[in-house]
Amino acid sequence: MARSGHGDVGMVDIDGSMLEGGGQILRNALTYSCLLGKSVHICNIRAGRSNPGLRPQHLTGMVLLKGLCGGQLDGARPGSTEASLEPAKLRNGNYLADTKTAGSVCLLMQVSIPCLRFCRGPSTIEYRGGTNCDMAPQIDYDTLILRPILKRMNVEYKLDIIKRGYYPKGGGLVKVHCDGFSGPINPIELLDRGEVVRIFGRSYVAGVLPVSMAESMAREAHSELKRYIGEDVDINIEVIREKPDQAVGNGNGIILVAETSTGCLLAGSALGRRGVDPATVAHESAKELIEALDAGGCVDLHLQDQLIIYMALADGRSRIKTGPISLHTETCIHVAEKMTNAVFRITKLNDTNSRTDCFMLECDGISFKPQ
């Protein structure tokens, strides 16, 4: 089994019931395994969920990682609460990851894009499933928040949304292309939130749902944000009706993004559900953005945990000012420290401008480079 030289040799045991107790532990552990050439065994998979064990979307991600590292995968079957991966070596190429459900393509991207970034050559992955799903980031979060921030860390990839897929049909198609290894990941510093200079967003409907729903969500969100932020900040929420050939199923939702004078990006989003009126969906998204801004940090809760793996792999010390540390972030840090030699520190800050507790999240990365 090929090894990168980072961390201890031998099988790493991960307890999937720790902290968040969901699929995130599995995803992060397998991604580190694939990257570092470390065998990993995960028990009690998704023990914190009402339906423990592997679901179809988890299996899709596991098979994808197996292909990316040419490894040996055990326990990859529906309902399994135990699995292991013995990786070989990262290999670039063309891959397909199809959940065959409305399972989130964004969660599949989370496990695989770090691996693409360290392949010795270009790769393309087609992801099929749900693009705008409950209990997962919307694809718009990736395009509007995550990718721009990762670009600062020397993590770049091309993303094409060919077709959006909504619950329960799925059927979405997203293509990601990455040129592969282009030097170490840069550490990131996000220490000064600055002032909000604009708010923009996307309010959308698809399928048989009327565009008036998107108009209502945009109008209600605009009104609520104006009351919060004042008249001096421009708010532009685009109203979109997805074209029939670019979406599968019926769906509606909204994402709102605040951009600051120092280049920070924070978001709030919500999805429509049967029986929930557009005004409620708009309120949920605006409330999430307002809470992120009130926290006083440079990242929202969703970016906070998604940056952990890149901070752990980076060449140097990353520092981020953030609001309260989420359980998802604590889980990501736990797995990172089990799988790598990265060192994380969380320090409470005395910030009188924040309406919640504020923290400094630091990480000394492992300066990872592929063999």
Side-chain angles (χ1 to χ4, degrees), residues 300-313:
D300 59 43
L301 289 177
H302 302 294
L303 187 59
Q304 185 190 96
D305 68 76
Q306 289 187 74
L307 287 181
I308 295 300
I309 191 167
Y310 297 100
M311 294 167 68
L313 298 171

Side-chain angles (χ1 to χ4, degrees), residues 34-361:
C34 193
L35 281 166
L36 303 176
K38 280 187 176 183
S39 296
V40 66
H41 171 259
I42 307 105
C43 63
N44 301 320
I45 293 172
R46 300 182 67 249
R49 297 295 182 261
S50 58
N51 53 345
L54 296 171
R55 307 296 294 168
Q57 61 266 33
H58 305 115
L59 295 170
T60 302
M62 294 170 74
V63 171
L64 174 60
L65 288 177
K66 174 188 175 182
L68 279 165
C69 71
Q72 176 66 43
L73 184 62
D74 292 316
R77 56 186 179 276
S80 175
T81 59
E82 195 170 351
S84 63
L85 175 64
E86 295 183 28
K89 186 176 181 180
L90 281 175
R91 50 190 190 184
N92 65 297
N94 298 321
Y95 297 91
L96 170 66
D98 187 353
T99 66
K100 299 184 176 7
T101 68
S104 171
V105 301
C106 298
L107 296 182
L108 293 175
M109 290 164 56
Q110 282 184 20
V111 303
S112 52
I113 286 176
C115 298
L116 299 188
R117 171 59 176 75
F118 286 101
C119 283
R120 290 290 190 181
S123 297
T124 299
I125 300 180
E126 287 191 9
Y127 303 91
R128 296 179 182 269
T131 58
N132 299 71
C133 307
D134 196 19
M135 304 299 291
Q138 298 190 42
I139 192 67
D140 307 281
Y141 191 90
D142 192 284
T143 60
L144 300 177
I145 304 287
L146 182 62
R147 261 203 320 156
I149 297 298
L150 288 182
K151 187 174 182 180
R152 304 184 196 179
M153 301 182 77
N154 192 27
V155 177
E156 296 192 59
Y157 52 95
K158 181 181 179 183
L159 185 151
D160 291 319
I161 304 170
I162 310 300
K163 187 175 292 187
R164 291 174 181 265
Y166 300 96
Y167 181 84
K169 292 183 177 181
L173 172 59
V174 173
K175 290 185 179 181
V176 167
H177 177 84
C178 181
D179 287 334
F181 185 64
S182 58
I185 290 179
N186 296 331
I188 190 166
E189 284 206 346
L190 297 170
L191 303 177
D192 180 8
R193 219 273 298 283
E195 300 296 325
V196 176
V197 294
R198 69 171 180 137
I199 294 176
F200 60 98
R202 186 178 192 274
S203 180
Y204 61 87
V205 294
V208 301
L209 301 181
V211 72
S212 60
M213 292 182 69
E215 293 169 343
S216 177
M217 290 187 296
R219 184 170 57 251
E220 293 292 336
H222 186 281
S223 177
E224 186 161 347
L225 290 171
K226 270 298 180 187
R227 289 194 297 271
Y228 171 79
I229 205 76
E231 295 297 324
D232 294 336
V233 176
D234 180 60
I235 300 176
N236 180 24
I237 305 171
E238 186 180 8
V239 173
I240 296 169
R241 179 177 180 80
E242 303 289 0
K243 296 178 181 178
D245 62 341
Q246 295 177 357
V248 176
N250 305 317
N252 68 295
I254 184 169
I255 182 166
L256 306 167
V257 181
E259 182 178 356
T260 76
S261 55
T262 56
C264 295
L265 298 167
L266 303 96
S269 64
L271 288 172
R273 288 95 65 201
R274 187 183 298 275
V276 178
D277 64 275
T280 299
V281 179
H283 169 72
E284 289 171 351
S285 62
K287 180 174 180 287
E288 187 173 90
L289 177 57
I290 289 169
E291 288 176 349
L293 293 171
D294 280 347
C298 298
V299 298
D300 59 43
L301 289 177
H302 302 294
L303 187 59
Q304 185 190 96
D305 68 76
Q306 289 187 74
L307 287 181
I308 295 300
I309 191 167
Y310 297 100
M311 294 167 68
L313 298 171
D315 182 22
R317 178 173 295 177
S318 295
R319 299 193 299 160
I320 295 175
K321 181 184 177 184
T322 182
I325 304 296
S326 72
L327 185 58
H328 279 277
T329 297
E330 290 183 28
T331 303
C332 289
I333 291 173
H334 171 75
V335 177
E337 292 184 332
K338 286 278 288 185
M339 295 294 297
T340 77
N341 292 326
V343 177
F344 286 84
R345 289 175 297 277
I346 299 173
T347 307
K348 188 174 181 180
L349 301 175
N350 182 20
D351 187 343
T352 57
N353 295 319
S354 171
R355 299 187 185 184
T356 65
D357 289 337
C358 234
F359 297 86
M360 179 69 71
L361 173 59

